[in-house]
Amino acid sequence: MIKFKRHIKVGDQEFETWFGMEIKKKGNRPNVGIYYYTDDPNEDLSMHQLIKANFESKKEALQHGIKFMRNMYQDMITREKEIAAEEEKAKQADSKE
């Protein structure tokens, strides 16, 4: 498996992401799978998760992987904002009582 790091920008934040790419032959065509790592792949507890397989080129797999991770980070930021807003509302409700 090929392991590499990319920096993905979402708004004003930048996330360091480790990817893995596995290339197999299926007949005469390449079969490329893209993975992301939960941490630096050299760490003992780091695991890789399949994003998607069956791409015909490295470039196509990498573009899909970056798009997938960018969407995941955007969802994470949105959830964090929602949780912070809910906590703020709870604090205000407690102070009114």
Side-chain angles (χ1 to χ4, degrees):
M1 178 157 339
I2 303 167
K3 301 169 189 169
F4 54 95
K5 179 174 40 172
R6 291 288 185 266
H7 294 270
I8 299 175
K9 272 192 117 164
V10 179
D12 59 344
Q13 296 184 27
E14 187 172 303
F15 297 91
E16 183 178 281
T17 306
W18 281 93
F19 287 102
M21 194 175 290
E22 189 173 58
I23 305 166
K24 298 178 181 177
K25 289 281 187 177
K26 194 173 190 179
N28 288 336
R29 306 175 91 179
N31 182 4
V32 182
I34 187 81
Y35 298 79
Y36 73 91
Y37 280 87
T38 56
D39 198 2
D40 184 335
N42 298 321
E43 297 292 324
D44 291 338
L45 299 177
S46 181
M47 297 174 47
H48 63 276
Q49 299 292 323
L50 177 65
I51 296 172
K52 189 175 176 185
N54 298 323
F55 291 101
E56 292 187 11
S57 72
K58 293 179 193 177
K59 182 179 178 182
E60 184 182 11
L62 180 58
Q63 287 174 342
H64 181 82
I66 290 172
K67 183 178 178 182
F68 176 88
M69 294 305 292
R70 184 173 288 125
N71 288 337
M72 189 173 82
Y73 291 138
Q74 286 173 336
D75 291 345
M76 181 183 69
I77 291 168
T78 301
R79 280 194 307 269
E80 286 178 353
K81 287 179 182 178
E82 290 171 355
I83 290 170
E86 288 174 9
E87 289 175 354
E88 185 64 31
K89 285 181 184 179
K91 285 181 185 178
Q92 290 176 354
D94 288 343
S95 65
K96 288 181 181 180
E97 293 178 359

